[in-house]
């Protein structure tokens, strides 16, 4: 192969855009008339789970007795559980009351209703991405992976919000199901107020 020794260009496509709490609320408000899209965003922002893991959720993965949600293995990682935020628990309880244990939370409705098959990534994206584009992506090129808000932005926002609330790297790593701590480093931000507290304590 004459191309085997060609070196690929290094492209920086690491997403930098995260949503503020106000932006999250504005997105949820806009999606309030679309129950499935609203619930997807709520799960993503309160668990930080990958979109595919959310789409694979079945009713049996929600344990209301222990108030946890369990996601299947992704990227060769084992299944893991996250404690339910009260707001998410209420929404899930209403959504799951008519579902059987083996049925998917995000079941397929097109071309026909089938709760034993989950919605595709493209399917859920069609519900949510237009609202994200209107609220956050005006004027951005379609291929701007760094600044464009997408479904994955919800996961990154979760990690950043945890850091803002004071969670350390190990807590964030556990909750985001990262395999290595260096994957978590980009979410860990130390505020100037926090650094000042330690500097002032010197001598």
């Amino acid at each position: 192969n004459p191309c085997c020794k060609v070196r690929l260009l290094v492209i920086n496509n690491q997403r930098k855009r995260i949503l503020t709490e106000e932006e999250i609320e504005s997105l949820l408000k806009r999606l309030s008339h679309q129950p499935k899209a609203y619930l997807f965003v709520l799960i993503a922002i309160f668990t930080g789970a990958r979109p595919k893991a959310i789409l694979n959720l079945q009713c049996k993965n929600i344990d209301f007795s222990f108030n946890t949600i369990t996601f299947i293995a992704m990227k060769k990682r084992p299944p893991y559980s996250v404690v339910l935020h009260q707001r998410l628990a209420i929404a899930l309880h209403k959504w799951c009351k008519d579902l059987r244990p083996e049925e998917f939370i995000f079941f397929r409705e097109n071309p026909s209703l089938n709760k034993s098959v989950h919605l595709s990534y493209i399917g859920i994206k069609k519900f949510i991405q237009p609202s994200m584009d209107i609220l956050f992506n005006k004027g951005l090129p379609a291929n701007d992976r760094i600044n464009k808000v997408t479904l994955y932005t919800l996961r990154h926002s979760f990690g950043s919000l945890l850091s803002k609330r004071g969670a350390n790297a190990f807590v964030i790593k556990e909750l985001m199901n990262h395999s290595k701590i260096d994957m978590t480093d980009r979410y860990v931000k130390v505020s100037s107020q926090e650094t000042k507290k330690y500097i002032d304590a010197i001598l």
Side-chain angles (χ1 to χ4, degrees), residues 62-86:
I62 318 295
D63 189 333
F64 292 108
S65 299
F66 290 94
N67 219 32
T68 59
I69 183 169
T70 300
F71 296 99
I72 65 166
M74 291 281 155
K75 296 189 175 182
K76 299 181 180 179
R77 297 283 293 155
Y80 69 104
S81 297
V82 178
V83 175
L84 288 174
H85 186 283
Q86 185 180 12

Side-chain angles (χ1 to χ4, degrees), residues 17-67:
R17 181 70 159 93
I18 60 167
L19 297 179
T20 64
E21 292 163 69
E22 292 76 18
E23 288 175 326
I24 291 166
E25 291 297 347
S26 68
L27 177 60
L28 287 169
K29 184 178 179 180
R30 187 175 180 86
L31 295 173
S32 59
H33 64 290
Q34 300 179 59
K36 198 172 283 188
Y38 178 92
L39 182 62
F40 184 95
V41 171
L42 210 59
I43 294 174
I45 211 65
F46 282 128
T47 68
R50 297 174 177 88
K52 187 177 178 182
I54 297 173
L55 292 171
N56 275 276
L57 279 173
Q58 292 172 288
C59 192
K60 65 183 181 182
N61 299 132
I62 318 295
D63 189 333
F64 292 108
S65 299
F66 290 94
N67 219 32

Side-chain angles (χ1 to χ4, degrees), residues 136-152:
F136 314 120
N137 295 330
K138 285 181 181 177
L140 291 176
N143 62 349
D144 187 347
R145 287 177 53 85
I146 294 176
N147 300 298
K148 190 175 179 182
V149 173
T150 68
L151 296 186
Y152 276 91

